[in-house]
């Protein structure tokens, strides 16, 4: 599965090249959603780069929410700094396993909080600012009657008619519905496959694999050519059957059998990176001709995916 990826940093150029427009009203609604609470699941780069283009209400709502979040971080930083200092004094007087453990936890939390605060005010964007995870919001290219549109969508497709709890399994784990297996498209994904298709443009993706020691490793994959990937997706609009929660535009990335180098690295799936000449056909599917869509998959791009251990 594609557990995480990074939005193509120059995605606006790609938008222009594909003749698409940014749905700024949709991005503004996302900024305002739950009074800006979704900031936790929006890549920093999107918040920063879209600030000049969005309505003042959306920008002010997001800024107010981030100010509130920073106040909470500062309060927690004070608390954790005290915890750290207290345990440093305990260890100076007498070494105990408890104090050592508490010091380690407090130190990691202090570093994390300082990082969040520094990131809030950092103007220069870094590659990790474009990274997203399941349930985060991502720009997705779709086709509407008026033409190509880029709209923010949540990276986990919740099937229309299903309760919000369907995002998770009975054991409380997040379900794998942020990825759609090619061999299941005509079953679980039949209401989207051949009907509502999208593309996300990413530079790199991340996968969890088992390391030589049996422990989990996180690998970062990137095309050796350096070209951005056009990842085939399915999308839907979820409406709360109870009428309580706001609508959710959401999507899943389609995965196929792994490329040889990805399999050799220890992972069993790879996202489908379609060729630019197939964009029109993919975004304008004919539900009566699914063979043509599978043909797009069969003719996908095969760049060599280099990998390294993710930071």
């Amino acid at each position: 599965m594609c557990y995480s990826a990074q939005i193509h940093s120059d995605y606006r150029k790609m938008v222009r090249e594909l003749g698409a427009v940014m749905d700024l009203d949709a991005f503004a609604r996302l900024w305002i959603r739950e009074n800006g609470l979704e900031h936790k699941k929006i890549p920093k780069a999107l918040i920063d780069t879209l600030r000049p283009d969005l309505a003042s209400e959306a920008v002010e709502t997001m800024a107010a929410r981030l100010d509130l979040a920073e106040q909470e971080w500062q309060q927690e930083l004070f608390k954790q700094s005290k915890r750290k200092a207290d345990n440093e004094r305990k260890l100076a007087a007498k070494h105990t396993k408890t104090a050592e453990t508490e010091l380690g936890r407090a130190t990691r939390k202090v570093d994390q909080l300082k990082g969040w605060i520094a990131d809030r005010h950092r103007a220069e964007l870094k590659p990790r600012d474009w990274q997203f995870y399941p349930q985060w919001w991502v720009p997705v290219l779709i086709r509407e009657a008026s033409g190509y549109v880029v709209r923010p969508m949540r990276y986990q497709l919740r099937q229309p008619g299903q309760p919000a709890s369907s995002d998770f399994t009975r054991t409380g784990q997040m379900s794998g519905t942020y990825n759609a297996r090619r061999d299941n498209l005509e079953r679980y994904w039949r209401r989207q496959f051949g009907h509502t298709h999208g593309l996300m443009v990413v530079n790199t993706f991340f996968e969890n694999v088992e390391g030589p020691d049996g422990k989990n490793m996180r690998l970062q994959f990137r095309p050796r050519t350096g070209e951005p990937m056009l990842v085939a997706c399915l999308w839907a609009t979820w409406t709360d059957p109870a009428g309580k929660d706001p609508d959710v535009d959401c999507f899943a990335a389609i995965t196929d059998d792994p490329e040889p180098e990805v399999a050799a690295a220890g992972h069993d799936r790879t996202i489908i990176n379609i060729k630019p000449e197939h964009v029109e056909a993919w975004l304008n599917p004919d539900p009566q001709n699914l063979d043509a869509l599978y043909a797009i998959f069969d003719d996908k791009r095969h760049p060599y995916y280099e990998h390294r251990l993710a930071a």
Side-chain angles (χ1 to χ4, degrees), residues 107-126:
T107 299
R108 289 190 293 274
K109 194 63 180 177
V110 166
D111 291 343
Q112 180 187 56
L113 289 162
K114 287 182 176 179
W116 288 351
I117 294 168
D119 282 347
R120 165 81 202 283
H121 298 284
R122 174 171 46 79
E124 181 181 356
L125 294 176
K126 299 182 178 181

Side-chain angles (χ1 to χ4, degrees), residues 1 14 16 27 38 49 67 99 109 124 131 143 156 161-162 166 169 181 204 221 233 239 241 263 295 305:
M1 292 186 177
M14 293 293 297
R16 292 192 300 271
F27 281 96
E38 291 293 336
T49 58
D67 286 344
K109 194 63 180 177
E124 181 181 356
Q131 191 165 350
R143 175 79 182 197
Q156 186 185 29
Q162 294 293 315
S166 65
T169 66
R181 290 178 62 100
T204 182
F221 293 87
C233 305
T239 300
Y305 293 107

Side-chain angles (χ1 to χ4, degrees), residues 2 9 30 75 91 106 109 131 138 169 172 183 188 196 246 257 269 273 297 304 307:
C2 177
S9 58
L30 173 60
Q75 292 169 2
L91 285 173
K109 194 63 180 177
Q131 191 165 350
V138 183
T169 66
D183 55 15
Y188 185 81
T196 49
D257 292 335
R269 308 294 297 169
N273 179 9
F297 298 161
Y304 185 89
H307 75 273

Side-chain angles (χ1 to χ4, degrees), residues 222-235:
R222 183 188 300 271
R224 178 175 288 173
T225 58
E227 64 187 3
M229 293 170 277
L230 302 175
V231 181
C233 305
L234 303 174
W235 69 277

Side-chain angles (χ1 to χ4, degrees), residues 287-307:
Q288 303 303 316
N289 188 7
L290 299 183
D291 287 345
L293 302 177
Y294 286 118
I296 292 175
F297 298 161
D298 293 337
D299 191 39
K300 64 186 176 184
R301 290 192 285 189
H302 296 277
Y304 185 89
Y305 293 107
E306 298 177 326
H307 75 273

